Amino acid sequence: MAKPSFFITTPIYYVNARPHLGTAYSTVLCDVEARYRRATGYDVKFLTGMDEHGEKVAEAAAEHGMTPQEWCDSQAPFFEGLWRQLEISNDDFIRTTEQRQHDAVQHLWERMRESGYLYKGSYDGWYCVPEETYFTETQVTKSDEEHHSEGRHLCPDCGRPLERVREESYFFRLSAFQDRLLKLYDEHPGFVQPDFRMNEVRSFVEGGLQDLSVSRTGFDWGIPVPFDERHVTYVWFDALLNYMTAVGYGVGTPDAKAELAYRWPAQCHVVGKDIIRFHCVIWPAMLMAIGEELPEHVFAHGFLMVRNEETGQGEKMSKSRGNAIAPQDVIDLLGVEGYRYYFMTDVVPGEDGAISFSRMEQVYNADLANSWGNLVSRALNMSAKYFDGKTPVLADGWADEQSPLREIAQGIEGRYAKHMDRLEYVQAKDVVMELVHAANHYVEDSAPWAVAKDPARAGELAQIIASLLESIRICAHLLAPFMPTTSAEVLRRMGAGEEADTTDLASVCEWGRLAGGVEVTKGDALFPRIAPAKSGM
């Protein structure tokens, strides 16, 4: 706890289906930020997990002839396995069926009862089981204005039929927090990111808030209300609390209290744009009601769409359209590191992104095979060829070394950090690739193969190769959050492997830290080119 804490979370994922590109996107996005923050000296807590309660989980279990718990247990390995494959560095994996979540949610109920913002009533309205969301009469749509039967009322979010729910329920007085939420948005405009998402949230709250039904009696797959066990907790009232459960909420021991004080509030919740209202309206209101601090930021990313090559437009993925892409399909094409790089640097995190295999191939070949990988191979090969397999020794050290690369590298970590701090990964990548491209041009402009022919220019040759290697060393550190295994391998080949786990990124990115006379390893190509036939495009 001597370091500053950085607590970042993914949504916890539904277990009614296996992980897909969207869940993987959220998780890799968090992983990149977590790795970056560790490299800049933070004590990071990176949380992900599974949302295992609720009616649709019970339905999925019944469809597979399992109990809900058996179904959840069968799905956990798919999530944990894919996260290991994608090099996800999460510190915790929470499941809402764990005892710690059960205890925390029941503690929340007691706190809510004490707060005065909880009351018992009767709910009579529309509910979407797939979205696990309640809707008022004015929010729903009808497939035919002449029909007003229950089956014709459709969810405004997913378009599927709504269920009419009539049952006794406990209600959270969400309506009491309209003014406080609007004040929050005014005083902390960065609470919702990217900035343009704030308008959606503000508009929703300004339209008026209804009290929220937070318990169910129509089924029993959920955490019981401690003072009324006929009721089970509404799944979102349960799920949102996972972020605090994971850092000691509700335990009460000295160690748990210390962890909660250190870790909470979270610095960043990363969510998909479809659940922004739960995280930016209901969650802060819940925290206000029980007197807890609010998370610093909620970052809402867009959806992944499949690019239609004929129209150029993005289309929703679906098996019926035949355009669904599974994570393994992309891993098979790009490898794990290429997968991470493509989704993090070619899809703008806050916006919908249209993806395609042809675009993946284009980005991979241009950025990784032709630019980054080629630069590393050429520089290490020349170091091996001209300096007996070692890094060059500069006669006068780095003090008198001058090159155009040094000018570009000056202050690069600061320019990069400005974007990484805001999850602007595309712009952060551009900062790094500016140096990569400049280094590739520098090879052509300086022509070290010609300089090597003249023994009188040995000092000049040493400066050229040293400048290239120093640029590569710095870029390897800045690309490490995106491609950790590749960056560690590059540093190892350069004899700087001990730097791979840095917690002082600004310092290691200072120009002139490369040691001379250190053995280098050429190695195989980091990113072999993808032939067009391989991608099927």
Side-chain angles (χ1 to χ4, degrees), residues 383 388-391 491-496 515-521:
S383 189
D388 298 323
K390 297 180 180 180
T391 56
L491 292 170
R492 184 195 68 79
R493 292 184 187 185
M494 297 176 63
V518 177
E519 289 189 9
V520 300
T521 304

Side-chain angles (χ1 to χ4, degrees), residues 448-508:
W449 49 87
V451 175
K453 295 177 180 179
D454 186 352
R457 302 175 69 184
E460 181 184 349
L461 180 64
Q463 286 206 354
I464 292 171
I465 303 305
S467 295
L468 289 171
L469 291 175
E470 182 66 338
S471 298
I472 290 170
R473 187 188 65 82
I474 292 170
C475 289
H477 280 294
L478 299 179
L479 289 172
F482 303 98
M483 299 180 290
T485 299
T486 301
S487 287
E489 173 63 11
V490 170
L491 292 170
R492 184 195 68 79
R493 292 184 187 185
M494 297 176 63
E498 74 282 354
E499 293 184 4
D501 295 324
T502 185
T503 57
D504 189 357
L505 187 64
S507 179
V508 298

Side-chain angles (χ1 to χ4, degrees), residues 55 109 123 127 129 134 163 165 167-170 213-220 225 230-235:
E55 189 173 357
W109 276 108
Y123 181 78
Y127 186 71
V129 174
Y134 294 98
E163 290 186 0
V165 175
E167 61 184 355
E168 183 181 83
S169 176
Y170 283 94
S213 172
V214 292
S215 72
R216 301 289 307 274
T217 56
F219 63 96
D220 61 3
V225 175
R230 293 186 307 106
H231 291 251
V232 296
T233 308
Y234 170 48
V235 64

Side-chain angles (χ1 to χ4, degrees), residues 98-124:
E98 294 177 21
Q99 188 64 42
R100 58 174 171 168
Q101 178 72 358
H102 179 280
D103 294 345
V105 169
Q106 293 208 324
H107 181 69
L108 170 68
W109 276 108
E110 296 292 354
R111 293 282 303 278
M112 279 291 179
R113 182 164 65 165
E114 295 167 2
S115 74
Y117 292 108
L118 191 70
Y119 65 92
K120 183 186 281 190
S122 179
Y123 181 78
D124 184 353

